[in-house]
Amino acid sequence: MENLLRALELCVFPKHCLLCGANENYICHACEGGIRYVLTYSCVICKGPCFDGFIHTNCTSAQTPNRFLAAFEYKGVIKEALISAKYKKKIFDLYGLLVDLACEYFESIGLEIGADAIIVPIPSGKRKYKKRTFNHALIIANLFAKKYGVKVVPALIKLKDTPSQSLLNRKERKRNVKGVFAAVPRFAQEIKGKDIVVIDDIVTTGATMLSACKELRKLGKNAPRYVYGISLAYDSLNRK
Ligand SMILES: [Zn+2]
Ligand SMILES: [Zn+2]
C-alpha cells in the first residue's frame, strides 16, 4: 500500500534526481550512496586535528565558537546538489533532504540542540541577495529550526558586499570578511545565556563563520552561552 501511494505521488508530483535523472527523489537512492561525510575534523583555529569538531580548549577565547561542524565533503553528489540548489530555481526541497541527512549525521556524533537554542543564519550581501532573491543560509536555518523546534533569530547583518570567498586564498579570505558582519544590538537580550547555532551552506577556511561568531560573542556579558558553527558541506579541496 505504501509503495502504491509512493508510486502515485511520483506520478502526480514527479521528482527527478538532480544528478542522474532517475524518477525517484531530488537525490535518488543510488546517488545518496555516493555522499561522502566529513569523518575527521580539524580545529578551526589552529587547524590541528580535533575530536568531532570540538575546538581545542587552548584555542577557544571569548570570541570563538565552541564547536564547528560540517556534514558532507563538498564534492561529487553534494557539490552538484548544492550548486543546483543555489543557482537553479524551485529546488529548495533539496535543502530539506540535505538537512535531514545532515542532522542524522550530527546526531550520530552527539550533537544535541536544546529547546532554548536559537539559530542564526549567515546573512548574504544586498547585491548577492538581489541577484539570487534568496539567502540560502536562511533557508537552511529555517529547516534546522523546524527540525529542532527552535527559533531563527536574524541577529547578524552584513555591512558590505564582498567578493565571493571561493575566489580568494586563505589570507585574502580572512581580510575579506573582517568587519563585514555586525550583530544587531536589539537581539542582545534574546541571545543572552542561549546556545547559538550559526548556519551556513558551505565552509572552506572557516573565516566567514569565525567572523560571524565573533560578532555574536561580542553582544554583551554572558551572551551567548555556547556557540556552534554549522554548515552542510566542508570544502577541503578549495582551502588555499
Ligand atoms: Zn540519482
Ligand atoms: Zn586548536
Side-chain angles (χ1 to χ4, degrees):
M1 185 66 186
E2 212 172 277
N3 283 347
L4 187 72
L5 280 176
R6 189 158 159 65
L8 217 79
E9 189 197 331
L10 281 171
C11 283
V12 184
F13 308 106
K15 282 182 185 173
H16 295 282
C17 175
L18 289 162
L19 307 167
C20 70
N23 183 7
E24 202 185 305
N25 206 344
Y26 294 119
I27 298 180
C28 75
H29 226 70
C31 290
E32 194 185 314
I35 291 177
R36 293 286 160 262
Y37 288 86
V38 175
L39 297 176
T40 52
Y41 285 94
S42 48
C43 168
V44 73
I45 309 293
C46 73
K47 313 297 175 200
C50 73
F51 177 70
D52 283 353
F54 288 101
I55 292 169
H56 301 131
T57 319
N58 290 347
C59 295
T60 50
S61 73
Q63 299 194 327
T64 51
N66 306 86
R67 197 175 180 189
F68 208 84
L69 290 172
F72 318 112
E73 295 280 357
Y74 186 64
K75 52 180 146 188
V77 178
I78 289 295
K79 189 171 179 176
E80 284 183 53
L82 286 179
I83 290 174
S84 302
K86 220 169 203 179
Y87 299 105
K88 289 181 196 161
K89 283 179 186 167
K90 290 184 185 170
I91 46 173
F92 295 138
D93 287 354
L94 178 66
Y95 277 137
L97 214 72
L98 293 178
V99 166
D100 282 348
L101 291 174
C103 288
E104 240 173 70
Y105 176 63
F106 291 144
E107 277 157 30
S108 78
I109 54 170
L111 178 71
E112 283 175 20
I113 294 176
D116 69 338
I118 56 168
I119 310 269
V120 178
I122 296 277
S124 63
K126 274 200 187 105
R127 202 181 43 202
K128 266 189 204 155
Y129 186 81
K130 247 188 180 162
K131 206 168 134 200
R132 294 192 192 133
T133 68
F134 58 87
N135 173 6
H136 43 274
L138 175 62
I139 296 165
I140 298 167
N142 280 328
L143 290 162
F144 261 94
K146 208 171 152 197
K147 230 176 153 51
Y148 291 99
V150 297
K151 233 165 69 170
V152 173
V153 178
L156 286 171
I157 49 167
K158 198 168 183 189
L159 299 174
K160 52 186 176 188
D161 280 309
T162 48
S164 176
Q165 289 286 82
S166 59
L167 305 170
L168 309 173
N169 68 29
R170 185 182 291 188
K171 234 185 190 165
E172 288 165 338
R173 281 171 205 231
K174 235 179 174 175
R175 216 179 304 133
N176 192 36
V177 291
K178 203 171 175 207
V180 159
F181 301 111
V184 186
R186 73 187 154 94
F187 291 118
Q189 223 23 53
E190 214 161 333
I191 283 172
K192 200 170 176 175
K194 295 275 175 63
D195 290 345
I196 294 192
V197 183
V198 184
I199 295 277
D200 207 354
D201 60 343
I202 305 162
V203 70
T204 305
T205 61
T208 300
M209 199 60 110
L210 283 180
S211 172
C213 292
K214 185 174 167 184
E215 294 308 314
L216 291 169
R217 280 281 193 212
K218 287 200 297 202
L219 263 194
K221 260 190 185 166
N222 306 323
R225 186 171 57 184
Y226 200 91
V227 178
Y228 301 91
I230 287 187
S231 71
L232 287 183
Y234 172 62
D235 183 6
S236 58
L237 296 176
N238 246 323
R239 291 182 87 135
K240 287 176 202 157

